[in-house]
Amino acid sequence: MFNVFIPARGGSKSIKNKNLQKINGIPLVERSIQIALKRFQCEEVVLSSDLNKILDIGEKYKINLHLRSKKNSNDTASTESAIKEWLSKKEEKSKWIILLEPTSPFINLCDIDRLIELCKLNNDVSCIYSITEIRHTDHYLNQRVVNDSKTSFLFKEEREKSKLKQKKIKTFKFGNISAMRTKDIINCEKFFSNNSKIFEIPFVRSINIDSEEELFIARSLAGYDKKLYNI
């Protein structure tokens, strides 16, 4: 019923060898493999990369390996295109593809279990994904723009109506774990279609690493509470 797709491209402009960076001594990509194997069989998990050094880690766990084409290895290649490339070479296709990204280091088994449950319960949606509430300080009404070294609120008029924290509408961001029907990926649909189901996870589990600063924060959190990263 399921395949877990772990996208781990070798190239990264923000952090060199991003998917191989270690937290608590374990590379990000290896942590994703380990947590996937807590719920799925080896043949249900696929590691997708253009770098042999990354694929060698998957080989150690006897999971499926997808060596990306050059077309799906550059900065502009989408995850959907890499999934479709892998699916085109696969005869038997699962019902759902679960996307498990190594740069989301605090996704845990509770999140995976909830996603599996929702996939089994919802026969009429194309996509299921997690969200997390935006913190008050990061709320869009607090965002500013800079012009000639002067700052101004991006949504000044709207902010005047809702200055207080209690009056601001709740806003959310992607929580970094999702699943999509295989047939919809094949039919050129993208993740986060209008026909979606959502579930909420805590902010800390939604953290995504895309800069040296975020890597430092993740390492600090994992050092403070080893249960966050360790499986």
Side-chain angles (χ1 to χ4, degrees), residues 4-46:
V4 178
F5 193 88
I6 302 172
R9 215 167 47 83
S12 173
K13 291 181 178 177
S14 57
I15 306 173
K16 187 177 180 181
N17 295 322
K18 180 167 63 176
N19 289 302
L20 290 170
Q21 293 296 321
K22 293 181 180 179
I23 295 180
N24 290 357
I26 303 170
L28 292 171
V29 68
E30 188 162 8
R31 197 260 185 184
S32 292
I33 295 169
Q34 289 177 351
I35 197 168
L37 291 175
K38 289 287 185 180
R39 291 294 182 266
F40 301 96
Q41 300 300 312
C42 295
E43 60 270 18
E44 295 173 313
V45 181
V46 56

Side-chain angles (χ1 to χ4, degrees), residues 185-197:
I185 295 176
I186 294 170
N187 292 331
C188 299
E189 294 289 336
K190 290 187 175 293
F191 278 87
F192 317 119
S193 70
N194 291 328
N195 185 24
S196 299
K197 180 85 175 178

Side-chain angles (χ1 to χ4, degrees), residues 12 21 28 45 60 68 73 87 103-104 112 117 125 137 140 146 163 168 179 194 206-207 210 222:
S12 173
Q21 293 296 321
L28 292 171
V45 181
K60 183 171 70 172
R68 297 190 185 193
S73 300
L87 284 171
T103 50
S104 301
I112 293 174
E117 177 189 18
V125 299
T137 51
Y140 79 96
V146 179
K163 280 184 181 179
K168 289 185 174 74
N194 291 328
S206 75
I207 289 173
D210 197 35

Side-chain angles (χ1 to χ4, degrees), residues 26-156:
I26 303 170
L28 292 171
V29 68
E30 188 162 8
R31 197 260 185 184
S32 292
I33 295 169
Q34 289 177 351
I35 197 168
L37 291 175
K38 289 287 185 180
R39 291 294 182 266
F40 301 96
Q41 300 300 312
C42 295
E43 60 270 18
E44 295 173 313
V45 181
V46 56
L47 174 63
S48 173
S49 184
D50 56 334
L51 190 66
N52 286 327
K53 191 173 182 180
I54 289 176
L55 293 174
D56 286 345
I57 295 175
E59 179 67 35
K60 183 171 70 172
Y61 289 91
K62 307 301 180 187
I63 62 174
N64 292 292
L65 306 177
H66 170 229
L67 178 61
R68 297 190 185 193
S69 64
K70 286 185 179 180
K71 178 183 175 183
N72 284 309
S73 300
N74 58 42
D75 290 338
T76 60
S78 67
T79 300
E80 290 96 332
S81 64
I83 295 173
K84 278 196 253 188
E85 182 178 74
W86 174 69
L87 284 171
S88 69
K89 301 173 184 177
K90 191 175 185 299
E91 289 184 17
E92 240 180 272
K93 294 177 174 56
S94 60
K95 192 174 182 180
W96 291 92
I97 301 289
I98 290 177
L99 188 61
L100 195 57
E101 301 185 61
T103 50
S104 301
F106 302 133
I107 292 296
N108 67 17
L109 289 172
C110 292
D111 304 324
I112 293 174
D113 289 342
R114 181 66 175 141
L115 188 60
I116 292 170
E117 177 189 18
L118 288 171
C119 287
K120 290 178 177 177
L121 290 175
N122 290 273
N123 294 315
D124 56 347
V125 299
S126 296
C127 178
I128 299 170
Y129 61 94
S130 64
I131 58 169
T132 191
E133 186 176 349
I134 297 291
R135 295 171 299 171
H136 168 64
T137 51
D138 294 329
H139 195 279
Y140 79 96
L141 290 180
N142 292 334
Q143 293 177 8
R144 297 163 173 83
V145 290
V146 179
N147 289 307
D148 297 326
S149 299
K150 295 179 180 179
T151 63
S152 60
F153 286 105
L154 185 57
F155 303 101
K156 185 177 179 180

